[in-house]
Amino acid sequence: MKPRRLQIGMWGGFRPEDWARFGSEQISGMEISQFADREAVLQFRSFCRKEGLIFGIHTPLLGSRGYTLPRLTSPDPDERHEALRTAEKDVELAAESGADYILFHYPFLPIFGEGDQVKYINLPRQGQRYEPSDLPQSRFLEVSHRLFERLSELQHRYGQKILLEHDFFGSYQDIVVRMFRDYREIDLVVDTARLDVAARIADSFDPYQWLDEVAPSVYLVHYSNVRYAGDRFFNHQPVQTWQDGHSDYGDAQAYLQHLAAHNSRFHVTFEHQVGSLSREELLSLYKQTSCLAGIEAP
């Protein structure tokens, strides 16, 4: 098994100056997205090989016209078919470039349950999410099985690890857990910020119980916190110890620590807006996260 690692997320292609600014001896990987073209991806591969870095891919791999993801669980068969065609192209390029993994969102669009309190104005709006009436439970189960079967096939065909990052799944949390149990070859990405928002909008959702259930499937954690302010939330906040127990912040650090007690193999990507941290604070965060995740001893 490859050594566990800390990674920095890099969106909108690769910028060497950002690597120089935010990298460190503790960072041994990157997660990339939205490159201009295939040639740019292969140039980035050369950089990583020279520096001894491992990288993963957060779709969309190519493109710069906004953040669009394939609608892999669309209730529309044609739209779903086109999404899988897009996914296969990305998987093929990921394999060619030597990526450790490529990830997609599941479900996508996100699903909001009937009991969810959509109380934050920057949550996905109508047209950006599915309602239970769009994807009833039996239909979502069927679509999910087809998706996991197809991704398993692509993973085998191209020899490319495929991950699914959980999006909002409403009242279908049991189906999500079941899919990762039924298809062990597809691993999960936990997003600590989205997990916290999900817990705030659904009183019946216990994020710690959910982590217990999915822990064996977790390959990667997207690590950041959420700041809440009235009817809005601000995600991708750097995780700081002083946020623990603060009503205006999420429980990202607690989620990471809880998961580490049940899974000793996952990697961590810092998916945060890093500009507010000094270099000293950033290096301290890297050290603390590595210890909390069990990547290195305290």
Side-chain angles (χ1 to χ4, degrees):
M1 186 173 67
K2 296 177 182 178
R4 298 179 66 198
R5 62 188 182 272
L6 299 180
Q7 306 183 148
I8 57 175
M10 194 168 289
W11 317 114
F14 171 61
R15 296 170 297 280
E17 62 272 21
D18 284 351
W19 170 250
R21 182 181 177 189
F22 304 127
S24 82
E25 292 182 355
Q26 288 185 292
I27 301 296
S28 56
M30 280 184 273
E31 186 170 291
I32 59 170
S33 179
Q34 294 176 300
F35 274 62
D37 50 36
R38 172 181 173 275
E39 287 67 32
V41 176
L42 298 182
Q43 288 176 9
F44 172 74
R45 176 186 65 181
S46 298
F47 174 87
C48 289
R49 287 179 174 175
K50 179 181 177 181
E51 298 293 330
L53 299 170
I54 296 173
F55 69 95
I57 294 167
H58 189 312
T59 52
L61 174 53
L62 301 180
S64 58
R65 298 181 179 179
Y67 185 65
T68 57
L69 293 167
R71 299 188 178 194
L72 295 173
T73 52
S74 171
D76 179 81
D78 292 336
E79 188 173 52
R80 198 167 61 248
H81 177 73
E82 184 59 32
L84 283 168
R85 286 186 59 206
T86 299
E88 181 171 1
K89 291 178 182 178
D90 278 353
V91 170
E92 184 176 12
L93 181 51
E96 180 186 3
S97 65
D100 179 52
Y101 64 82
I102 183 169
L103 72 84
F104 303 92
H105 275 215
Y106 164 75
F108 198 79
L109 298 173
I111 297 173
F112 283 73
E114 294 176 352
D116 288 350
Q117 306 167 45
V118 188
K119 57 186 178 182
Y120 300 113
I121 61 174
N122 53 325
L123 281 166
R125 302 181 299 275
Q126 293 286 341
Q128 299 175 330
R129 68 186 192 230
Y130 296 136
E131 308 293 344
S133 57
D134 299 315
L135 274 172
Q137 181 171 325
S138 59
R139 182 63 172 153
F140 179 62
L141 179 60
E142 176 192 351
V143 166
S144 294
H145 273 299
R146 291 187 177 187
L147 171 63
F148 276 71
E149 288 172 359
R150 179 62 172 152
L151 294 182
S152 298
E153 176 191 336
L154 293 177
Q155 183 166 254
H156 178 73
R157 179 189 304 174
Y158 292 102
Q160 175 61 60
K161 178 178 283 295
I162 298 174
L163 310 179
L164 289 175
E165 177 181 352
H166 70 91
D167 215 301
F168 295 109
F169 41 70
S171 57
Y172 296 161
Q173 63 193 67
D174 291 342
I175 295 177
V176 172
V177 171
R178 175 179 171 180
M179 288 300 103
F180 286 99
R181 287 179 176 172
D182 288 352
Y183 298 87
R184 294 292 187 181
E185 59 272 38
I186 302 296
D187 281 332
L188 171 66
V189 182
V190 167
D191 185 291
T192 56
R194 188 176 295 110
L195 188 65
D196 199 81
V197 175
R200 294 242 180 170
I201 66 175
D203 293 336
S204 61
F205 177 59
D206 182 342
Y208 295 98
Q209 179 182 340
W210 187 78
L211 286 173
D212 290 345
E213 293 175 328
V214 299
S217 297
V218 178
Y219 185 82
L220 179 70
V221 171
H222 280 171
Y223 194 46
S224 68
N225 214 349
V226 187
R227 180 172 67 85
Y228 299 92
D231 62 356
R232 296 184 67 89
F233 64 86
F234 301 87
N235 57 1
H236 297 158
Q237 303 295 306
V239 181
Q240 302 283 275
T241 300
W242 59 263
Q243 297 165 354
D244 292 354
H246 196 303
S247 61
D248 291 344
Y249 285 86
D251 295 337
Q253 184 171 294
Y255 298 143
L256 183 72
Q257 202 164 9
H258 186 87
L259 181 61
H262 297 80
N263 179 321
S264 60
R265 72 183 184 102
F266 64 85
H267 310 291
V268 178
T269 293
F270 291 97
E271 196 180 52
H272 57 203
Q273 297 172 355
V274 71
S276 63
L277 298 180
S278 68
R279 179 68 177 175
E280 182 179 2
E281 289 172 325
L282 185 62
L283 295 179
S284 176
L285 174 58
Y286 291 164
K287 174 70 174 178
Q288 179 191 54
T289 304
S290 184
C291 294
L292 285 173
I295 294 175
E296 65 177 57

